[in-house]
Amino acid sequence: MHWLVGEHLIGNHPMLNYPVLAADHHQIFLPAIPLYSAYQSAHGRDPMSGTEMLEHTRRTITALRGEGPVAEAAEEPLVTVVAEVNCFDVGLRTDLTAQHRELMERLITELTDRDGVEAVYRYGLEALVVNAPDWDETRLKLWLTLWLTLWLQRHLHADD
């Protein structure tokens, strides 16, 4: 874990060019912690006390080091997206395609129908190449994560 200058794809993101604690690909903008407390207060909930804020900060730092209950409870993400030259490399969590065979075909069909997506190619059991020149990495990851979350919820409730 180390301090660095915050980076983000969104030009006016709060952590852009400000000090952040970083580990691997995670960045924590520490001033966001009091913002959360202010949000709580604005919505009629008790804000964090100084002691709670200190404890939260310690838990965050411990998790960034890959230690503690927060780090141990972290799951592998549903999807990973890596920007390549003129396309995106997408990986799906291994258990998704193993347990839900129809998932990939339906995902490809629905993603291909989105505005700005020119093509989606499957190149492995859990891998796609997405050609969407007007999209950015964050938008694609958000769309895929939301789609997968909703699809899994519907699928799991249908089995009940």
Side-chain angles (χ1 to χ4, degrees):
M1 179 176 56
H2 57 279
W3 289 96
L4 58 86
V5 176
E7 300 172 342
H8 205 278
L9 295 172
I10 300 171
N12 63 352
H13 194 274
M15 73 178 168
L16 182 66
N17 297 324
Y18 284 93
V20 295
L21 277 176
D24 294 323
H25 300 293
H26 302 287
Q27 297 180 15
I28 301 294
F29 182 55
L30 291 181
I33 294 169
L35 289 175
Y36 169 79
S37 185
Y39 175 84
Q40 290 288 93
S41 183
H43 287 86
R45 297 182 206 110
D46 291 334
M48 294 173 97
S49 69
T51 304
E52 289 171 319
M53 206 173 293
L54 177 62
E55 186 55 37
H56 178 74
T57 303
R58 286 182 177 150
R59 278 194 314 270
T60 300
I61 291 169
T62 301
L64 281 169
R65 289 184 180 136
E67 303 165 356
V70 174
E72 292 166 8
E75 290 185 15
E76 183 182 347
L78 292 173
V79 63
T80 57
V81 176
V82 177
E84 301 287 345
V85 178
N86 298 324
C87 67
F88 298 97
D89 183 14
V90 175
L92 296 176
R93 203 170 66 197
T94 306
D95 65 303
L96 294 177
T97 54
Q99 295 173 7
H100 307 283
R101 294 178 188 255
E102 69 279 13
L103 176 69
M104 286 291 274
E105 295 308 316
R106 192 161 179 188
L107 174 64
I108 290 169
T109 300
E110 291 194 28
L111 181 56
T112 303
D113 289 341
R114 305 305 305 170
D115 286 340
V117 176
E118 293 180 359
V120 179
Y121 304 99
R122 184 175 182 173
Y123 72 93
L125 294 176
E126 300 100 19
L128 302 172
V129 173
V130 178
N131 184 357
D134 297 332
W135 288 39
D136 61 35
E137 191 174 339
T138 304
R139 179 179 177 188
L140 181 58
K141 184 172 183 173
L142 180 61
W143 188 90
L144 289 165
T145 301
L146 290 172
W147 187 91
L148 287 165
T149 301
L150 290 171
W151 189 90
L152 289 168
Q153 286 174 350
R154 287 183 196 138
H155 190 268
L156 294 174
H157 291 312
D159 291 344
D160 290 342

